[in-house]
Amino acid sequence: MNIVVAPTVEAAGELAAELLDEQLRAGEAIGVATGSTPLPVYDALARRQRDGADYARASAWALDEYVGLPAEHPQTYRATLRREFASRIGLLDANLHVPDGAAEDAQRAAADYESAIAARGIAVQLLGVGANGHIGFNEPGSAADSLTRVVDLAERTRRDNARFFEGRLEEVPTRAITQGVATILRARRLVLLAYGVAKADAVAALVEGAIGVHCPASFVREHGDVHMIIDPAAASRLSSTTVRIPEEAAR
Ligand code: GLP
């Protein structure tokens, strides 16, 4: 695993954009995430697109989607990814793929999404990490061989995400469709980002703790091509033997 401590969140976004740019230009499939973490990456890609990068042929595949929100709800991950990512980098809406969280049969929608991803193949998957060690919506307890499926959201995850629902916990869905751990690990390259002290424990557990279902993010260590880009605060609970924070980054 290649771990880089970037001096700022903006710099982390630039580094990740650098790792996605070539595949996007080449029209490959990239895996995209929601939440606050990928926003600096999307900002950096939008700047590159304004400066002439052509991403129109690429396709993007979401990690997850809430189950049960009406299709027109602004906090569905489809709406979020349209707003924060696709529309800003010139990606065609038809090339943005998200599990159908409004489907009558959510299990079926999950299985269909799994098949579509398996058929396409993801070149690079962008990942954030939950404070409890989740990736996508693979909460603690999720197995290494899990595939795309319907899951119940952990209470902590719902509380963390209530900020996107004007702080109203009761508005946050209780279920989601998520790519499984095995689905995510099938991507040829993983780019995992984390910032802030709130992620420091999750980062330490995923890098230095035991690999297991208590911390689904720890399974990324079994992947051969992982780039982890974190800020000094997220790196603050790593032992110094694992990672050295460059002096300019620590200031
Ligand atoms: C969310 C998403 C994840 C995301 C994580 C971290 O619930 N399902 O894909 O990586 O939690 O979110 P944030 O980046 O806002 O901290």
Side-chain angles (χ1 to χ4, degrees):
M1 185 155 59
N2 175 29
I3 305 176
V4 174
V5 181
T8 63
V9 167
E10 292 70 29
E14 277 297 339
L15 286 170
E18 182 81 45
L19 291 167
L20 292 169
D21 177 77
E22 194 185 318
Q23 281 83 355
L24 282 165
R25 287 178 195 255
E28 295 210 57
I30 66 153
V32 287
T34 50
S36 311
T37 305
L39 294 178
V41 188
Y42 301 156
D43 290 344
L45 289 172
R47 278 195 295 276
R48 283 165 184 258
Q49 197 254 357
R50 275 201 307 275
D51 292 345
D54 181 3
Y55 300 142
R57 291 187 308 125
S59 69
W61 296 75
L63 274 174
D64 43 18
E65 175 62 285
Y66 290 120
V67 166
L69 287 181
E72 64 282 3
H73 195 289
Q75 292 306 329
T76 65
Y77 282 175
R78 175 175 287 283
T80 304
L81 285 165
R82 263 189 194 137
R83 194 169 57 234
E84 295 174 349
F85 170 69
S87 67
R88 299 180 61 215
I89 71 150
L91 191 105
L92 299 176
D93 200 51
N95 291 342
L96 175 63
H97 304 271
V98 184
D100 184 1
E104 225 160 87
D105 185 345
Q107 297 287 0
R108 179 64 188 271
D112 289 348
Y113 195 69
E114 174 71 28
S115 309
I117 287 194
R120 182 64 182 88
I122 303 292
V124 192
Q125 175 67 56
L126 193 60
L127 289 170
V129 58
N132 65 358
H134 74 225
I135 44 171
F137 273 133
N138 291 285
E139 301 285 18
S142 298
D145 61 357
S146 55
L147 299 177
T148 306
R149 66 205 188 285
V150 178
V151 292
D152 292 323
L153 298 182
E155 199 54 28
R156 174 157 191 196
T157 300
R158 293 185 63 240
R159 270 190 274 118
D160 284 350
N161 286 359
R163 68 188 192 282
F164 298 114
F165 294 83
E166 293 164 3
R168 288 203 286 268
L169 183 60
E170 67 281 9
E171 303 278 322
V172 184
T174 56
R175 295 190 307 154
I177 295 174
T178 184
Q179 286 190 36
V181 175
T183 319
I184 292 169
L185 264 58
R186 240 190 276 127
R188 295 199 289 282
R189 166 176 286 177
L190 304 179
V191 177
L192 190 149
L193 296 108
Y195 337 109
V197 72
K199 298 290 173 74
D201 284 336
V203 165
L206 104 80
V207 176
E208 296 175 346
I211 297 176
V213 298
H214 62 284
C215 177
S218 64
F219 290 123
V220 306
R221 278 157 54 198
E222 294 175 343
H223 192 286
D225 187 359
V226 185
H227 294 257
M228 187 160 162
I229 306 171
I230 54 183
D231 76 347
S236 59
R237 295 195 188 126
L238 288 175
S239 71
S240 56
T241 51
T242 301
V243 65
R244 197 175 61 80
I245 302 177
E247 260 171 44
E248 68 276 17
R251 278 201 293 271

